[in-house]
Amino acid sequence: MTTVATALHGIAPHSRDRTAQALRLWPVVAITVAAVLVMSLPNLADPFIRFDDYPALLAQPELFWGKTLHEGRWINYLWHLRGVVTPAWLNFAVYQVLWAVLAGALAVAAMGREGRAWYVAVLALFILVAPPATLISLWFNTLIPGLGIVALYAVLGCRLSIGTHRALLPVFVILSFWAYTTYPLILLAVCLVRTERHSLRDLIGLCVLFVVSFAAAILLTYTLNWQFHGVFGVPLDDWRQATPAADLSGMIANLPILAETLSFLMVKFSFMFTPAAYFHLAMLVGATLVLIRHAPREALYLHAGLWLGMALMVLQVLKLGVVAPSRSFLFVWIFYAVIVVRAAALLGRTPGLVDRMARNLTLLIVLSYMVQTFSQYTIYRPWQAETRAMAQVVETTDMPVLVYGDVMSLSGAKAVQLLSDKALVFRIEQITGRGIVLCDTDPNRCAAADQAAGTAVKVEVTTTGGQTRLSYPQGG
């Protein structure tokens, strides 16, 4: 209990007061909000939605109920019960603004007390362009409440004393865990970068507090599942094809799955450009060496958080035997960004060639990734256009609409990595309020609908000139 008490105390009261006064949050947030809206422009008016995010958009809790058992997403389920359906573009804008607030608050918590505006702004933008953030943003309807919880905790980190802020950590860890499993690791990052007086005792206390909070979140999730599902645990859904390990040999057998997870992570972090992955590794190593030389205790704090999070992820992959999605490693990019920009700021205390190189490399990453993020959001536009065209056909008839062929083979579906043909069904429902039937996956229902209607609108998946598209009846 001594270590936990130390973590809750953090720093002396007079120092806490000065720090709280020094932090200036909202000007930085204004920059990140403007930046994220510009980067999101290609996806803002008509955002692309992953198929399992549609229940949140359409407020259909019965379709999400299974994820409370298989993923422990209890906060998200409550969000599905809200009974109010808002437009997708509004939900996406709200989600992106929350992400911008979180990025800005993290940057201010890490560097705002020094009053070096350029570095604070660059760190905020560095965090903002995280590739995992772009990946996970496609589930924006579901994750609004969870991201709001994490963003609130980051904002409180810029307003409350460190002792009070850390005292709230267990509550926020539990709530954020019920939204997304790795959100608590972002909360840990906030606490670590917010600390002013670094000491081994304080670091151990904070880590113990976090681990106890994380364990409590898992235990409470198991308890809720036992209460409502009759299962004490979080069993993985069958579609994951997990190979859970019962002992050490089972975990060793899952090492190739861990290697696959890390390989995907490197690819996603570099936007499919392998040399960029090695560039980031070199930046991390170089920035770490700078921190070790100029601020060794700060380096210890940041790497403790980074590797504690990685240890939890590695343990999960080896234990469950599933590939962890790259979007769940958002915390890794956050720690990476803080380490790099903090190192640049330390070098900036002595102006010279090294300082200019550090500043330029940092700015290069930010600007290039802003462009890459903007470009990433453009790839969904052809699919959105194709489905809007189909929706126009659906709206012109009262007959059942039957789709023949493999939707997943559509060129547009491959371009956006559709994940499930259900996405087309949900998409048409989103636009028209009507359902369609996929004959390739539900032939019996398709035949029944065709027979009952007498005449149905038949849409086919056809390939012409190397492109696979939807084709419609003459005049349709």
Side-chain angles (χ1 to χ4, degrees):
M1 293 302 294
T2 303
T3 54
V4 174
T6 301
L8 293 178
H9 185 264
I11 56 174
H14 67 279
S15 181
R16 289 198 297 266
D17 293 340
R18 287 201 308 271
T19 300
Q21 294 171 1
L23 302 181
R24 292 178 174 83
L25 174 63
W26 300 117
V28 179
V29 168
I31 294 173
T32 55
V33 168
V36 81
L37 292 179
V38 170
M39 291 189 302
S40 304
L41 275 178
N43 200 49
L44 194 56
D46 185 19
F48 177 76
I49 304 171
R50 289 298 183 196
F51 81 98
D52 50 350
D53 187 43
Y54 275 102
L57 170 67
L58 304 174
Q60 297 176 341
E62 67 279 1
L63 297 181
F64 193 83
W65 178 245
K67 290 204 173 189
T68 59
L69 171 63
H70 297 297
E71 298 181 24
R73 306 286 182 83
W74 287 97
I75 284 289
N76 296 341
Y77 177 72
L78 295 177
W79 173 244
H80 284 65
L81 297 173
R82 67 192 185 277
V84 177
V85 177
T86 47
W89 66 266
L90 178 60
N91 295 348
F92 185 65
V94 169
Y95 178 89
Q96 293 292 71
V97 168
L98 288 174
W99 169 234
V101 170
L102 173 56
L106 271 163
V108 170
M111 304 187 65
R113 57 185 172 269
E114 297 183 2
R116 307 176 74 183
W118 189 89
Y119 290 103
V120 176
V122 168
L123 176 56
L125 295 174
F126 203 130
I127 295 171
L128 191 73
V129 298
T134 304
L135 295 172
I136 203 172
S137 68
L138 302 181
W139 284 266
F140 58 93
N141 296 289
T142 301
L143 294 174
I144 284 175
L147 186 60
I149 290 169
V150 178
L152 175 60
Y153 190 74
V155 170
L156 292 176
C158 301
R159 291 290 177 259
L160 300 178
S161 68
I162 291 181
T164 303
H165 187 243
R166 289 187 181 182
L168 295 173
L169 182 63
V171 175
F172 277 84
V173 164
I174 293 168
L175 293 176
S176 62
F177 184 85
W178 287 338
Y180 198 75
T181 310
T182 57
Y183 273 172
L185 295 170
I186 301 178
L187 305 182
L188 175 61
V190 175
C191 288
L192 288 168
V193 301
R194 180 72 174 86
T195 304
E196 287 187 49
R197 287 188 167 179
H198 302 102
S199 70
L200 184 59
R201 183 181 180 186
D202 175 69
L203 176 59
I204 293 174
L206 177 55
C207 290
V208 169
L209 177 63
F210 173 78
V211 171
V212 170
S213 303
F214 197 84
I218 295 174
L219 181 60
L220 286 173
T221 303
Y222 285 8
T223 303
L224 283 173
N225 281 359
W226 176 72
Q227 179 68 31
F228 290 96
H229 295 291
V231 177
F232 188 76
V234 182
L236 292 178
D237 211 343
D238 293 338
W239 68 267
R240 291 187 181 274
Q241 299 180 331
T243 56
D247 50 28
L248 182 59
S249 61
M251 296 178 72
I252 293 174
N254 284 332
L255 283 174
I257 298 177
L258 175 61
E260 187 177 359
T261 296
L262 297 178
S263 176
F264 281 146
L265 181 63
M266 295 297 292
V267 168
K268 296 295 184 181
F269 269 32
S270 60
F271 282 107
M272 313 295 181
F273 184 56
T274 302
Y278 294 105
F279 170 79
H280 289 308
L281 285 175
M283 286 287 289
L284 176 62
V285 172
T288 298
L289 293 175
V290 172
L291 283 177
I292 290 174
R293 179 178 179 183
H294 296 279
R297 291 185 178 181
E298 186 176 355
L300 177 62
Y301 268 66
L302 294 174
H303 275 275
L306 172 60
W307 296 110
L308 174 58
M310 285 299 295
L312 289 173
M313 295 299 294
V314 168
L315 181 62
Q316 174 183 285
V317 171
L318 295 180
K319 178 63 178 174
L320 300 180
V322 292
V323 174
S326 299
R327 59 183 177 272
S328 61
F329 288 87
L330 177 56
F331 71 94
V332 173
W333 183 273
I334 289 173
F335 279 110
Y336 168 58
V338 175
I339 290 170
V340 168
V341 179
R342 283 294 299 142
L346 291 171
L347 290 173
R349 292 175 178 176
T350 307
L353 177 61
V354 176
D355 163 47
R356 290 195 299 272
M357 289 182 61
R359 286 166 58 100
N360 291 339
L361 284 175
T362 304
L363 192 58
L364 174 65
I365 294 173
V366 170
L367 294 177
S368 64
Y369 270 61
M370 289 181 71
V371 173
Q372 290 280 3
T373 302
F374 183 92
S375 177
Q376 181 69 24
Y377 281 129
T378 65
I379 69 173
Y380 308 110
R381 297 177 68 180
W383 172 258
Q384 299 298 77
E386 185 170 19
T387 50
R388 282 196 302 270
M390 180 178 178
Q392 291 178 355
V393 174
V394 173
E395 289 174 333
T396 61
T397 179
D398 294 328
M399 297 295 179
V401 177
L402 312 179
V403 181
Y404 290 87
D406 182 11
V407 171
M408 300 298 287
S409 68
L410 290 167
S411 299
K414 291 180 179 179
V416 299
Q417 299 179 343
L418 197 61
L419 302 182
S420 172
D421 55 9
K422 294 179 183 177
L424 180 61
V425 179
F426 280 124
R427 171 67 170 161
I428 299 303
E429 182 181 353
Q430 173 198 356
I431 301 174
T432 68
R434 292 186 54 192
I436 60 174
V437 181
L438 303 181
C439 298
D440 193 55
T441 55
D442 199 351
N444 293 332
R445 184 185 170 199
C446 181
D450 192 13
Q451 184 177 7
T455 302
V457 177
K458 299 180 180 180
V459 180
E460 297 183 355
V461 176
T462 59
T463 301
T464 305
Q467 291 292 313
T468 304
R469 303 184 184 278
L470 295 170
S471 64
Y472 309 98
Q474 290 295 324

